[in-house]
């Protein structure tokens, strides 16, 4: 459950209180419970009565001179036990009036209970210590309230403006000054924010950190659950937060509230955050802007097996990411799925070294065609990669193959998995499509047909050349008679000033048409 400002209490640790200037003036010495000095001090209370525990609610640092305990060892021991039962943070004994030194009975009882016991060797006005600690606690609460409201206001404004998940996480990381990670319940990373080197350090050891984040908080690892209506679906973790633990917990809770609201208002399911994570990773891999080795921790944290694996880069044209992801799960194939651009979806399979990558890719493509009911679904693949550093080039190769085949007559009859060797000349032309000389060549060769009124003739020419100048097949595909096709082919030859029965001239026109089509995509 999220922490509210009404129930949240600021705190200082016993160790922090002992470093205050006014406390140091009393020459404090820890005589018991030294391993428990990180206990939180919620309040300071002066008490002499032996049954002081009944007046406490937990987290108090109790100050005493022991004047009512002197000479009665049973009362001394019971005093310490009473503080322990009340979950006091520590006991501070001022030496001088009742005790010249720490009484052994109290010291031994405190050590057994794990209660920090501190003695002050110089006379010290307890009122000064109380004032100092209370004022600091009030200032802490005021600062925490201000931070909490500032974070809530800023995150709510971002959500209202339709900001994506990453923008919210960036804001949380700015306030927390530490890496921020959002995961699902299986510890799969859905999003990160913070300084990139620090985030990479966290992700590099994520398996261990994930176990730690799921257990007891400590050493700055602060988490808050994501969910609502009794259902949890993830968590946000502040990794290595260096501020006050209570403030960090408050910050994590405000961030969690914002993420839940973001999901509710956007109708965003947790799985779509997984898609965004995969999209960010695969987009960075394809672009090559970030070196592959720097992306390895992100891939591992996203749940992709990366050690001693064979990677199969695929690009699917007109594939639904949800369907592709479900198919991977159904076939038991580890991988990531992400939509790229222009209707292309990247699929990165991670297979064991002894698995047949070619056969599994073909099986995946065949099942995809069968389940989608689209016989022309294009699944382009690069050759398998065994080195992670080679994956970006593989993804770009698969994307190139998919682009070369898409929206072309060749897509009428394609194998389940298309590879670079299958695109032949079309692939080369696509690689050169932005070359000015290639563009000039295409316009020069097709000049007589490059106008809106000649689209039908251009379509006939495209089919005729793609079918290997098969007139019967071309007429069949365009639903025209042979004589009608002959008239259109004659018109094409007149417009272009070529003889399509001449192999060299037909090849030149075909190359120009491939270049023209590639430039339009």
């Amino acid at each position: 459950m999220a922490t509210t400002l009404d129930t949240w209490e600021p705190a200082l640790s016993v160790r922090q209180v002992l470093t205050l200037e006014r406390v140091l003036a009393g020459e404090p010495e820890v005589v018991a419970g030294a391993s428990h000095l990180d206990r939180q001090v919620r309040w300071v209370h002066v008490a002499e009565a032996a049954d002081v525990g009944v007046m406490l609610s937990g987290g108090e640092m109790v100050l005493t001179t022991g004047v009512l305990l002197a000479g009665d060892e049973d009362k001394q021991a019971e005093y310490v036990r009473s503080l322990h039962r009340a979950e006091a943070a520590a006991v501070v004994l001022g030496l001088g009036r009742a005790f010249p030194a720490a009484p052994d009975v109290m010291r031994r009882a405190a050590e057994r209970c794990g209660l920090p016991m501190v003695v002050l060797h110089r006379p010290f006005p307890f009122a000064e210590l109380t004032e100092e600690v209370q004022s600091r606690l009030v200032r802490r609460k005021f600062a925490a309230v201000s931070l909490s409201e500032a974070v809530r206001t800023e995150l709510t404004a971002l959500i209202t403006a339709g900001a994506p998940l990453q923008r919210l996480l960036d804001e949380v990381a700015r306030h927390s000054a530490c890496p921020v990670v959002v995961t699902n319940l299986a510890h799969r990373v859905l999003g990160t924010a913070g300084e990139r080197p620090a985030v990479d350090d966290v992700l590099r050891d994520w398996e261990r950190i994930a176990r730690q984040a799921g257990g007891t908080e400590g050493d700055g690892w602060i988490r808050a659950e994501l969910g609502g209506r009794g259902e949890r679906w993830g968590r946000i973790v502040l990794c290595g937060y260096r501020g006050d633990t209570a403030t960090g917990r408050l910050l994590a809770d405000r961030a969690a509230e914002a993420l839940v609201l973001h999901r509710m208002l956007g109708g965003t399911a947790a799985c779509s955050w997984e898609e965004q994570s995969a999209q960010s990773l695969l987009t960075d891999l394809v672009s090559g802007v970030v070196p592959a080795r720097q992306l390895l921790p992100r891939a591992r944290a996203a749940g992709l097996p990366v050690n001693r694996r064979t990677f199969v880069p695929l690009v699917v044209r007109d594939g639904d990411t949800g369907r592709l992801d479900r198919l991977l799960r159904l076939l038991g194939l580890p991988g990531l799925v992400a939509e790229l651009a222009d209707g292309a979806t990247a699929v990165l399979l991670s297979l064991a070294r002894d698995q047949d990558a070619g056969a599994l890719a073909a099986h995946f493509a065949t099942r995809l065609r069968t389940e989608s009911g689209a016989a022309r679904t294009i699944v382009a693949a690069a050759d398998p990669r065994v080195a992670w550093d080679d994956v970006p080039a593989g993804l770009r190769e698969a994307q190139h193959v998919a682009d070369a085949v898409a929206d072309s007559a060749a897509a009428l009859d394609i194998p389940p998995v298309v590879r670079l060797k299958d695109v032949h000349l079309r692939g080369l032309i696509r690689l050169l499509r932005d070359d000015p000389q290639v563009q000039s060549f295409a316009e020069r060769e097709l000049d007589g047909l490059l106008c809106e009124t000649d689209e039908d003739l251009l379509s006939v020419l495209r089919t005729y050349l793609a079918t290997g100048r098969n007139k019967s097949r071309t007429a069949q595909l365009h639903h025209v008679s042979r004589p009608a096709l002959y008239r259109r082919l004659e018109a094409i030859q007149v417009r272009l000033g070529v003889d399509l029965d001449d192999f060299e001239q037909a090849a030149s026109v075909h190359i120009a048409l491939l270049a023209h089509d590639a430039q339009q995509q």
Side-chain angles (χ1 to χ4, degrees):
M1 181 179 294
T3 302
T4 67
L5 290 176
D6 292 333
T7 60
W8 178 80
E9 292 284 356
L12 291 167
S13 69
V14 175
R15 191 186 309 277
Q16 288 173 318
V17 171
L18 296 181
T19 61
L20 298 179
E21 185 175 351
R22 291 188 180 182
V23 179
L24 291 175
E27 297 182 6
E29 177 189 0
V30 179
V31 296
S35 60
H36 300 278
L37 295 181
D38 290 321
R39 282 187 174 183
Q40 299 298 295
V41 177
R42 186 181 55 81
W43 205 244
V44 177
H45 188 69
V46 179
E48 303 289 355
D51 59 348
V52 62
V54 299
M55 297 181 285
L56 306 179
S57 58
E60 294 90 352
M61 173 179 276
V62 177
L63 312 180
T64 182
T65 61
V67 292
L68 300 183
L69 304 176
D72 192 331
E73 293 186 348
D74 290 339
K75 283 186 177 180
Q76 294 170 19
E78 178 56 29
Y79 185 86
V80 172
R81 289 194 293 268
S82 177
L83 294 179
H84 172 64
R85 289 193 297 269
E87 298 182 349
V91 59
V92 178
L93 175 64
L95 301 180
R97 291 188 61 188
F99 298 101
D104 288 338
V105 172
M106 292 183 68
R107 183 180 54 77
R108 289 195 299 269
E111 192 65 47
R112 285 195 299 270
C113 293
L115 177 71
M117 180 175 176
V118 181
V119 295
L120 300 175
H121 289 279
R122 296 187 62 182
F124 186 88
F126 284 167
E128 291 187 13
L129 173 57
T130 302
E131 179 185 8
E132 176 74 10
V133 174
Q134 314 303 42
S135 63
R136 285 178 179 267
L137 292 176
V138 170
R139 289 198 298 271
R140 276 172 170 257
K141 184 165 187 176
F142 178 77
V145 169
S146 299
L147 173 63
S148 174
E149 291 308 305
V151 171
R152 174 181 280 158
T153 299
E154 291 170 11
L155 295 182
T156 301
L158 289 174
I159 294 171
T160 304
L165 170 66
Q166 187 60 54
R167 183 68 185 86
L168 270 66
L169 296 183
D170 288 341
E171 191 67 17
V172 175
R174 183 176 71 83
H175 283 287
S176 64
C178 69
V180 175
V181 178
V182 173
T183 75
N184 61 15
L185 295 181
H187 304 302
R188 181 173 178 177
V189 174
L190 307 181
T192 63
E195 295 292 334
R196 197 71 255 168
V199 172
D200 287 343
D201 285 343
V202 169
L203 296 184
R204 195 170 291 113
D205 197 22
W206 182 247
E207 184 177 350
R208 179 188 63 81
I209 292 175
R211 290 195 299 270
Q212 179 177 346
T216 303
E217 293 180 353
D219 298 328
W221 303 108
I222 300 174
R223 72 186 186 281
E225 302 299 327
L226 303 177
R229 298 178 180 176
E231 178 185 4
R232 294 188 303 115
W233 42 267
R235 59 175 56 91
I236 181 170
V237 186
L238 307 186
C239 304
Y241 180 72
R242 295 187 177 182
D244 177 73
T245 300
T247 303
R249 191 173 297 116
L250 191 62
L251 178 58
D253 287 334
R254 293 297 165 266
E257 290 172 2
L259 295 185
V260 172
L261 180 62
H262 181 272
R263 176 188 178 186
M264 291 172 59
L265 293 182
T268 306
C271 63
S272 72
W273 287 4
E274 293 181 1
E275 292 169 5
Q276 292 177 39
S277 175
Q279 182 178 29
S280 173
L281 173 60
L282 292 184
T283 299
D284 285 346
L285 278 170
V286 171
S287 68
V289 174
V290 182
R293 188 156 297 279
Q294 293 184 19
L295 297 173
L296 188 59
R298 287 171 57 187
R300 183 183 290 111
L304 186 73
V306 295
N307 295 330
R308 296 187 58 78
R309 307 292 288 187
T310 297
F311 302 101
V312 183
L314 305 173
V315 170
V316 180
R317 273 288 178 179
D318 302 320
D320 176 73
T321 55
R323 177 184 291 116
L324 293 172
D325 192 58
R326 287 191 295 272
L327 183 56
L328 286 183
R329 297 176 188 275
L330 179 64
L331 298 178
L333 297 176
L336 296 178
V337 179
E339 185 176 352
L340 298 178
D342 301 325
T345 302
V347 180
L348 180 60
L349 301 181
S350 175
L351 307 177
R353 292 283 176 87
D354 59 352
Q355 290 180 292
D356 189 332
L360 288 174
H363 181 54
F364 170 77
T366 302
R367 284 291 296 270
L368 178 61
R369 285 189 177 187
T370 301
E371 295 193 6
S372 65
R376 298 181 184 179
T377 298
I378 298 172
V379 179
D383 291 335
R385 264 62 175 175
V386 295
W388 174 257
D389 288 345
D390 295 333
V391 169
L395 285 168
R396 288 192 290 271
E397 179 183 314
Q399 187 174 30
H400 162 64
V401 172
D403 290 343
V405 176
D407 300 324
S408 67
L412 295 173
D413 184 21
I414 59 175
V417 178
V418 188
R419 301 184 183 277
L420 190 59
K421 63 183 181 61
D422 299 316
V423 296
H424 307 296
L425 180 62
R426 187 180 304 276
L428 175 62
I429 294 301
R430 187 169 185 85
L431 284 176
L432 301 175
R433 64 178 176 173
D434 294 326
D435 188 295
Q437 295 187 27
V438 173
Q439 295 172 353
S440 177
F441 169 76
E443 291 182 6
R444 183 171 63 251
E445 290 290 304
L446 301 174
D447 182 57
L449 292 180
L450 295 181
C451 63
E452 292 184 6
T453 58
D454 292 326
E455 275 300 319
D456 180 58
L457 293 180
L458 203 62
S459 177
V460 169
L461 175 62
R462 185 180 292 109
T463 304
Y464 179 63
L465 295 174
T467 58
R469 295 184 293 174
N470 186 319
K471 294 183 176 66
S472 298
R473 179 63 173 157
T474 302
Q476 180 184 11
L477 291 174
H478 284 270
H479 307 290
V480 298
S481 64
R482 289 283 292 268
L485 176 66
Y486 293 156
R487 289 193 295 272
R488 295 182 186 183
L489 290 176
E490 182 62 30
I492 290 171
Q493 293 183 102
V494 171
R495 295 279 189 91
L496 298 181
V498 298
D499 178 7
L500 293 178
D501 289 330
D502 181 86
F503 175 79
E504 185 173 337
Q505 294 184 52
S508 181
V509 172
H510 192 190
I511 292 172
L513 187 57
L514 291 176
H516 169 75
D517 290 345
Q519 292 160 16
Q520 304 308 306
Q521 296 175 3

